[in-house]
């Protein structure tokens, strides 16, 4: 077939369109998430993700003119994926800590967390002091685990058990293999609406700041952080918060207060 000038132009346009489409597909945000962490993020039976942070990251991707491809991973694997650049960001109710900032980057926080002590109904554990002499569990490499280990002598618990998944930890709690489970209080309360026989015996105010984790030196960090500020200013973040938490955020909370990229956890 003879190539005319017109067919050449058409072919060139088609090739350019194909390349542009491929480039756009490659521009999708690669997001790592712990898949069983409601209401923050949770993988449904249909294989899709939903949750507070899922809505946030999808809105970020939309404002970047892209989409978010969320990949479920074990909690410990999230840190490796981010540090190696295999993902663009991680969502999993992650706390900003100075130790993590040595090898990772974080966006501004959008939630002030607290820990909860999960116990069986009727337990006499109603404070941190009640953990003395008890068997306590938490999720491996998590902020609650580090918090417990740093206070082992002060708290005086008898034994600590580390879990790969929240579900395994709460199953052991329900079956009496541990006396208490220490985790994010919002996640515990949500889980206990689905698991009868368990309750939050006490809440521990820690001042921890939840944010998205990104590879250190990411060229997307400033843009993502600015979008978070815009979402806080235009009411989008507050609407997402109310959808998943059932109440409006406090007027001076991290959820509605724009902030710069953190350089320390303080």
């Amino acid at each position: 077939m003879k190539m005319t000038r017109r067919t050449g132009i058409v072919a060139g346009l088609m090739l350019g369109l194909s390349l542009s489409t491929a480039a756009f597909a490659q521009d999708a945000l690669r997001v790592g998430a712990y898949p069983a962490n409601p209401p923050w993020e949770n993988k449904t039976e249909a294989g899709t993700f939903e949750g507070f942070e899922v809505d946030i990251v999808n809105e970020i991707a939309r404002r970047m003119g892209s989409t978010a491809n969320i990949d479920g991973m074990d909690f410990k694997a999230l840190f490796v994926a981010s540090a190696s650049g295999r993902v663009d960001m991680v969502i999993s109710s992650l706390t900003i800590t100075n130790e993590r900032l040595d090898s990772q980057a974080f966006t501004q926080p959008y939630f002030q967390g607290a820990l909860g002590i999960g116990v069986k109904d009727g337990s006499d554990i109603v404070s941190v002091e009640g953990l003395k002499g008890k068997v306590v569990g938490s999720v491996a490499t998590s902020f609650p685990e580090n918090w417990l280990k740093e206070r082992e002598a002060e708290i005086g618990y008898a034994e600590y058990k580390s879990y790969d998944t929240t579900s395994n930890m709460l199953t052991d709690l329900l079956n009496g293999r541990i006396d208490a489970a220490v985790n994010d209080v919002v996640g515990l309360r949500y889980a206990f609406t689905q698991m009868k026989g368990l309750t939050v015996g006490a809440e521990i105010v820690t001042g921890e700041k939840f944010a998205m984790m990104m590879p250190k030196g990411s060229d997307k960090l400033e843009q993502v952080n600015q979008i978070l500020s815009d979402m806080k200013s235009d009411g989008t973040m507050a609407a997402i918060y109310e959808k998943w938490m059932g109440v409006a955020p406090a007027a001076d909370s991290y959820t509605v207060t724009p902030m710069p990229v953190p350089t320390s956890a303080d």
Side-chain angles (χ1 to χ4, degrees):
M1 174 178 159
K2 184 178 179 182
M3 177 69 74
T4 65
R5 182 173 182 275
R6 177 180 176 81
T7 56
I9 291 173
V10 172
L13 288 173
M14 293 301 293
L15 177 60
L17 180 60
S18 298
L19 292 173
S20 297
T21 303
F24 181 80
Q26 291 171 1
D27 284 342
L29 287 178
R30 301 166 301 162
V31 182
Y34 181 55
N37 188 34
W40 308 103
E41 45 274 321
N42 188 55
K43 193 172 186 178
T44 67
E45 291 183 0
T48 58
F49 279 83
E50 63 180 15
F52 175 73
E53 289 179 303
V54 174
D55 282 359
I56 295 173
V57 80
N58 281 333
E59 178 63 15
I60 288 172
R62 188 189 71 80
R63 296 189 187 203
M64 293 176 74
S66 184
T67 57
N69 288 338
I70 304 177
D71 187 16
M73 303 178 187
D74 289 340
F75 190 76
K76 289 186 288 187
L78 295 172
F79 296 89
V80 177
S82 177
S84 66
R86 188 154 62 91
V87 297
D88 296 311
M89 62 179 62
V90 169
I91 52 173
S92 243
S93 57
L94 289 170
T95 304
I96 303 170
T97 69
N98 288 322
E99 181 181 4
R100 288 174 178 173
L101 281 168
D102 286 339
S103 57
Q104 310 278 359
F106 281 86
T107 66
Q108 62 179 288
Y110 41 74
F111 193 93
Q112 183 166 2
L115 299 181
I117 301 175
V119 296
K120 293 181 73 172
D121 288 346
S123 170
D124 60 357
I125 300 174
V126 294
S127 66
V128 175
E129 290 72 24
L131 297 177
K132 184 175 182 179
K134 304 295 186 181
V135 181
V136 183
S138 193
V139 177
T141 71
S142 67
F143 176 84
E145 178 175 82
N146 292 335
W147 188 90
L148 283 167
K149 288 183 174 180
E150 289 171 357
R151 293 161 178 79
E152 180 177 1
E154 176 188 341
I155 295 172
Y157 49 81
E159 183 183 354
Y160 175 75
K161 291 188 177 182
S162 185
Y163 292 88
D164 286 337
T165 67
T166 303
S167 59
N168 286 342
M169 174 181 68
L170 296 182
T171 298
D172 271 9
L173 176 63
L174 189 61
N175 292 330
R177 298 187 188 97
I178 57 176
D179 299 305
V182 179
N183 206 8
D184 157 50
V185 70
V186 174
L188 284 178
R189 287 193 173 121
Y190 187 92
F192 295 165
T193 64
Q194 315 296 318
M195 299 180 71
K196 303 304 178 185
L198 300 178
T199 189
V200 174
E203 183 172 331
I204 308 165
V205 177
T206 60
E208 56 186 307
K209 304 169 183 176
F210 291 176
M212 292 180 182
M213 184 168 69
M214 301 179 69
K216 203 168 185 68
S218 169
D219 59 1
K220 295 180 174 66
L221 178 60
E222 291 293 344
Q223 182 184 10
V224 169
N225 200 73
Q226 182 57 53
I227 291 173
L228 286 172
S229 289
D230 294 343
M231 290 172 64
K232 290 180 177 185
S233 297
D234 66 22
T236 304
M237 189 71 75
I240 294 173
Y241 181 101
E242 189 164 358
K243 171 185 173 182
W244 290 100
M245 305 303 166
V247 295
D252 59 349
S253 67
Y254 294 152
T255 307
V256 296
T257 305
M259 300 178 186
V261 171
T263 56
S264 76
D266 303 326

